[in-house]
Amino acid sequence: MDGDGHPAGRKGEGLVTGDGIFRPGGAAADETYDVVIVGAGPAGASAAIYAARAKLKTVVLDKAPSAGALAITHKIANYPGVRGEVSGLELLNTMRRQAADFGAVFVHAPVQGVYVEGDLKEVFTPEAVYRGRALIVATGAMERATKLPGEDRFLGRGVSYCATCDGAFYQGKEVVVLGDSEEALEEALFLCKFASMVHLVVPGKRLLGVAEDHLPEQPNLRYHFQHRPLEVVGDGRVEGVAVKDPYGARKLIGGEGVFVYLSGSKPSTGFLGGAVPVQEDGYLVVDEEMATPVAGVFGAGDVRRSPVKQAVLAAADGALAAMAADRFLHGRQKMISQR
Ligand SMILES: Cc1cc2nc3c(=O)[nH]c(=O)nc-3n(C[C@H](O)[C@H](O)[C@H](O)COP(=O)(O)OP(=O)(O)OC[C@H]3O[C@@H](n4cnc5c(N)ncnc54)[C@H](O)[C@@H]3O)c2cc1C
């Protein structure tokens, strides 16, 4: 059990976040929502506060609630109204609870695709499809800009980004998970159900957003901290990942499957698959009211280009996006402020 009494090693039950706010993947998908929000960082959480308070039926989907930019911020001291030392995750969970108090539902689920052409927007996760009359994209900018050598070559043939989708192919086999976040740990734990051995390769000294004394143990899970992935190696099929160990030596960590969950600083818009226009470098195209060119689809926070990336600005974006969504849903011409 973890500190909050959640059973250890189970996906989607708050093992890592332990915050009790998020429901497991697939939950609450049988409803039709007014607003589906993707991303529960300050932009998504703030959008959820404004949407739910305006009595819009709201669901927020997040793939890794402790791994967004604010969630991994050790200490934040410049968020207006919050004095003293507070971690990014504490601040964020306060925002999320505030939204939940107004009725927003939070679900722990990775969004892998969207269909936005109809009046009802469809949002695809491994376990369920969520439907809403408006969609707010608030997925931040922590995607990777560059890929590992070999990653593209073996994509779909040994390299995967989704343990839920591909894990069962590796029954009784060794796999390698590359990542630096809670998401990577969760996916590694999920893969432990199938693989004979899961090697979790972490470039740094710790997993972002995961307390060091909360690292789950499994007989078939091995952690490799301070091992920097260099390339996916294979000849026709994946044989493993070449890494640089903490002493600078190159070595091979063997596995027939490689699951990649590394983070960087690129906008997280890949899952949109071109359904919503993005700029050349992936930033979402939005107007001053956070509306994208697709009717009923809005964007907020680091996922859109802004002169600086700060939590207070992301939260402000979220508020604007929710009010614009409300306006869209009720056919109003002018933005009406909430009281
Ligand atoms: C190390 C660091 C320190 C910082 N320090 C400060 C500071 O002191 N003060 C300050 O104001 N700002 C600070 N910032 C900036 C601030 O954290 C960001 O500007 C802010 O968090 C952006 O909010 P966001 O909601 O747009 O994105 P994020 O906070 O990154 O949240 C995005 C969320 O979307 C989720 N997501 C992404 N893709 C998907 C998907 N496909 N499906 C489901 N969910 C998805 C992620 O899991 C994440 O929870 C810091 C940033 C970093 C990285």
Side-chain angles (χ1 to χ4, degrees):
M1 296 288 230
D2 69 13
D4 293 309
H6 298 291
R10 304 256 298 275
K11 188 173 162 64
E13 291 189 357
L15 161 71
V16 183
T17 50
D19 50 40
I21 298 169
F22 285 83
R23 301 190 195 179
D30 43 357
E31 311 269 347
T32 295
Y33 291 91
D34 292 317
V35 188
V36 179
I37 299 172
V38 187
S46 163
I49 292 170
Y50 275 76
R53 184 148 186 260
K55 299 196 187 303
L56 300 178
K57 197 173 170 63
T58 304
V59 66
V60 188
L61 309 171
D62 198 293
K63 65 174 182 176
S66 301
L70 184 57
I72 62 158
T73 300
H74 186 53
K75 294 255 180 314
I76 173 160
N78 59 0
Y79 195 85
V82 180
R83 294 178 70 205
E85 294 211 330
V86 58
S87 76
L89 190 56
E90 271 178 270
L91 174 61
L92 197 46
N93 281 339
T94 306
M95 296 183 199
R96 291 165 175 170
R97 279 195 196 95
Q98 193 179 353
D101 288 346
F102 287 127
V105 172
F106 285 80
V107 178
H108 192 165
V111 173
Q112 297 176 321
V114 295
Y115 177 77
V116 291
E117 280 178 26
D119 287 343
L120 218 47
K121 316 299 173 198
E122 294 186 316
V123 178
F124 303 101
T125 72
E127 279 108 351
V129 181
Y130 290 81
R131 293 180 178 84
R133 296 193 292 133
L135 169 67
I136 298 177
V137 178
T139 42
M142 291 194 63
E143 212 85 331
R144 284 183 311 144
T146 52
K147 293 196 173 175
L148 289 174
E151 188 175 329
D152 270 344
R153 187 157 57 100
F154 289 113
L155 188 57
R157 299 185 298 122
V159 169
S160 170
Y161 303 120
C162 177
T164 318
C165 318
D166 298 331
F169 295 127
Y170 296 95
Q171 183 72 44
K173 298 177 179 169
E174 288 200 37
V175 299
V176 183
V177 176
L178 307 177
D180 44 16
S181 67
E182 165 208 358
E183 184 187 16
L185 174 58
E186 291 207 345
E187 298 290 271
L189 287 169
F190 182 77
L191 287 164
C192 285
K193 292 192 206 174
F194 308 99
S196 58
M197 178 56 70
V198 177
H199 298 275
L200 176 50
V201 175
V202 185
K205 287 187 181 163
R206 51 184 291 266
L207 284 157
L208 302 174
V210 181
E212 280 166 75
D213 54 358
H214 268 56
L215 282 182
E217 289 178 15
Q218 293 276 347
N220 58 340
L221 172 63
R222 193 169 297 158
Y223 296 95
H224 302 262
F225 284 99
Q226 287 181 275
H227 281 69
R228 192 159 63 79
L230 299 174
E231 65 174 307
V232 180
V233 176
D235 183 12
R237 62 185 181 85
V238 168
E239 289 163 17
V241 177
V243 297
K244 197 184 231 184
D245 76 10
Y247 309 101
R250 181 186 165 106
K251 69 179 193 192
L252 180 74
I253 297 182
E256 293 181 44
V258 176
F259 291 80
V260 189
Y261 304 98
L262 295 162
S263 59
S265 56
K266 190 174 166 269
S268 303
T269 48
F271 73 96
L272 295 172
V276 183
V278 296
Q279 296 172 356
E280 216 169 83
D281 47 8
Y283 283 102
L284 208 59
V285 176
V286 293
D287 68 14
E288 59 181 12
E289 290 184 9
M290 307 298 135
T292 72
V294 179
V297 181
F298 305 84
D302 283 4
V303 74
R304 68 146 184 136
R305 189 187 297 287
S306 59
V308 281
K309 292 183 171 32
Q310 285 286 280
V312 66
L313 299 179
D317 273 11
L320 264 174
M323 286 191 273
D326 188 20
R327 200 188 104 195
F328 166 79
L329 292 171
H330 293 101
R332 288 196 300 268
Q333 291 303 308
K334 278 196 177 264
M335 195 88 95
I336 298 170
S337 66
Q338 292 191 346
R339 281 171 218 269

